[in-house]
Amino acid sequence: MYNMVEINFIINGSKMTKRIKPSTLLVDFIRDDLKLKGTKVGCMEGECGACTIIIDGTAINSCMYLAININGKNVTTIEGLGTVEKPLDLVQEKMIAHGAIQCGFCTSGVVMTTKAFSEKCKNEDKIPTRDEVKKSLEGHLCRCTGYIKIIDAAEAVYKKQ
Amino acid sequence: MVKELKIIGKSTPKLDAKERVTGKSVYGHDIELPGMLHGMILRTKYPCAKIISIDVSEAKALDGVMCVITAADVDVNQIGYKRDHPIFKSKTVNCNRDEIAAVAATTKEIAKKALSLIKVEYEVKKGIYNPFDALKEDAPKLNEFSHDKFGNKNIGESFHYEHGNIEDQKKLSKVIITKRYETSRVTHCCMATSNITASYSKLDGQLTIWASTQVPFLYQRDVAHALKMEPSKIRIIQPIIGGGFGSKLDMLPFEPICALLSIKTGKPVQLLYSREEEFIASPTRQPMIIDLTTGANENGKFTFREVKITMDNGAYTSWGATTPFVMMQTYSSLYQVPACSFDAKAIYTNNPFAGSFRGYGNPQATYSIETNIDLLAKELGIGKDEIRLINANYKGEITGQGLNFKTCGAIPALKKVIEESKYSQRIKSQISNSKSQESGRYKKGIGLASMLHVGGGAKIYRSDGCGTRLKIDHYGYLTIITGSNEIGQGSETVLAMIAVEELGIPIEKIKVINTDTDVKPWDVGVHASRTSFVAGNSLLGAIKLIKEKLNKQAAKLLCIENSDFIYQNGSMFHDDKEIKIDKVVREMHFGLPNELCVVEYFYEPPSSFQDKEFKGDVSGNYAFASQAIEVEVDTLTGKVKVLNVFVSQDVGRVLNPLALQGQIEGGVATGIGFALTEEMIYKNGMLLNPNFHGYKLLTSMDMPDVNFYPVETYDDAGPYGSKGVGEAPLIPTAAAIANAVADAIGIEFYSLPLSPEKILKALKEKTINKVLSI
Ligand code: FES
Ligand code: FES
């Protein structure tokens, strides 16, 4: 039988303990074990960004990360952004308002990257330039929108906060 | 006078945007059914081989494997537009996608393991990977099921079209230019890979399929034919689709295979492509070799076009082989063309088969024509902008092919991009001052191209229609049940907007039901940029009927003569009288003589079939567009950077500016990829770059600004005067970029993509030639 290991972590604000196979990929753990299907899989090679989530404030590709590495960490997926009182985060509101969503398959990842980057900018008290915004989204592939509306939406977030 | 509208023409976010932005939308990959198994397919190791034996015994014996199937286990029909494609291959394999066996297992890991235990013995054969080799006398017959109808065993499909007198026109020509153009094989790269979940019930013989198809009713028919089932026993449900772009027009073997796994096991089965499998075994754009000759007289008027197109059909025939239907429109009717002769042949090879892709052959055709136009202008010594304006399509024109341009924004679109891009001040090849002789590493250039595409559907199937059912409940909520589909393009939202406009019901009270073939009425599917046009007109027809019902009932309740009402904010108004819609419906339901507030309407566009010579007015209206694109070529690395894109498109009327702009930008991005970076690289039939690392999509860093100027021509046929928009924005992009690169470095290229290697090589040759000529 497999050697199972125990991991403790916070996911979308709740503490959790799970036993997993050490070789489990984080994206599979999130989608198949935790049933959080909002995180998407586009390539499993770290190339498309669809699987992006936030760990301790940093956006990462969950397909390139082993689940055991979230032990002791704070994980946020797309499901963790809104609250019952306020179901949409500012990033999500701006994505909608700027028409940044077509098929929506890249959207979860784009939102998570933008969220992490916006928190970082807020902490550093800076508004990124358009080129910096573009750069921050470089790891995301989107076949529908041509990126412009996504970049516009992200810029609107940084300006608003 | 054009009527002022309330919501049409105003930016409206997508109806389901909130679901999508919070990760709640259920895509095919997210479906989980109780007891669901995981399916996987074993594909060939070699693109061309004889199969000696297949041994699945070890795979079958593996714990957790519920079923392994090969051709020997199934009784099925061949699939594809020409029915030349067996879903499992048993005697020979003919391309790198070929399916040999499939397994269903309790987990993905076990399914994968099982595939590795299947033993296949091959006798490898030398394949044919070039269509011209396939035409040679001594070439073997590559598809044993081909019909041999076109004079050569390896020609799968052939088209001939002509109008006017080519020979006379040649005599009138001052310049004649002949070139061979080649376009590469590119693929859709939908962000969600291909997927299907199938669930068969032995109890009632019912098969339910969750499929990412763009054409659910044709798909239902195709699955039924493949499986020898009755179509109505098959229910197609469309989950949220993660990108379509034409890739989901053909039913592919994995789909009936997944259904078979469910039929054999009696359990739901899900089959998901990996990204690598997506590159290998999902559709592509048809690669083409285009031999084009065009002429113009001394005034710059076009005289004729003569074109021979050789398409690599791959091993089997897909819808991709029918792209000539669209291309012949472009050759015959983009600009005024007095004479045209068009031949296209799809030739079997051992390469993968293509499919349909946004634009349907038109980007390839437009690329060749628009590049040739620049050459004609250069030869004649007239402006590249001028020659296009002299020949542009115009309102009232009936083309040689019989397309009737009742409205036409070609000239306004051209003028707009010429003006906004400052084309005539920027085009180097036409400016003789010193600035044009810029030295240094970076060289700028500008290019122009136009396009023509169907804007009001296309009558290629027996019906190009769409059905709509409407229901208003006694709480005042409207349900639109439409035959049409949403694949991310925003058609649902446009339909809801139309209902708001006409019925004054707020958008929050409108539901659109469009995902289930058991529920929705017929529609041919999402293609040919037709959905807003056809489904919109169908909805308008249904709204007219439901208004008649409501008007009658309201008049009765208000004790006035039956007459017209104004619909606003969920109420109906007549003079100073107001009555709420929900109240009217309640009276309809519960008052005598009790009736439902339900109507249905079927809209069939007024377009006609083409005759045997491919002539006829196939679309309800036509879309026109021009693009001017500015590029910068790095002569050290050969890299082309797109600096600025100017797009002007005749959209008839803008329905939803936000969604429209999104379609334009997305289309342009795909067009830039086609022009510069995307290429599937094959060696002897095997794909060398089946991943995003080797197949370069544009990123946020590469995307230039897109300046968009809609042209509104208010076409009577479209809803509120609108035309289809979805495909147009990518059609002229590659052509405009190729012309811009030629302007920048003074070298014309005749093949796509314009990769850095190609550009560097050409620059080197140019320098050598310069040195040699001194
Ligand atoms: S799925 Fe993780 S980067 Fe593509
Ligand atoms: S919206 Fe479809 S991939 Fe980005």
Side-chain angles (χ1 to χ4, degrees), chain B residues 47 221 538 603 641 666 699 726:
Chain B
R221 182 204 60 185
S538 178
Y603 172 74
K641 190 169 171 194
T699 72

Side-chain angles (χ1 to χ4, degrees), chain A residues 31 35 37-38 40 42 45 47 78 92 101-105 134 137-138 143-144 146-149, chain B residues 14 20-21 23 27 29-30 32 187-188 191 275 661-663 665-666 678 691 693 698 700-701 703:
Chain A
R31 284 182 52 87
K35 307 284 179 207
K37 303 278 190 189
K40 300 297 177 211
E45 301 178 321
E47 295 278 353
I78 187 80
Q92 292 165 314
I101 303 148
Q102 284 186 34
C103 83
F105 202 79
K134 284 187 180 179
L137 291 163
E138 198 185 5
R143 190 52 143 171
C144 301
Y147 305 102
I148 295 173
K149 302 255 168 290
Chain B
K14 279 170 65 101
R20 300 210 183 191
V21 83
Y27 294 80
H29 294 240
D30 305 329
E32 276 192 7
T187 186
H188 307 72
M191 279 301 124
R275 179 55 62 185
Q661 182 93 23
Q663 286 293 309
E665 290 164 1
E678 294 180 36
N691 50 54
H693 189 67
L698 250 53
S700 54
M701 296 298 284
M703 195 60 194

Side-chain angles (χ1 to χ4, degrees), chain A residues 73-92:
Chain A
K73 300 208 164 122
N74 190 344
V75 180
T76 310
T77 68
I78 187 80
E79 289 86 354
L81 283 198
T83 60
V84 178
E85 296 74 41
K86 190 174 175 302
L88 292 176
D89 186 87
L90 177 66
V91 175
Q92 292 165 314

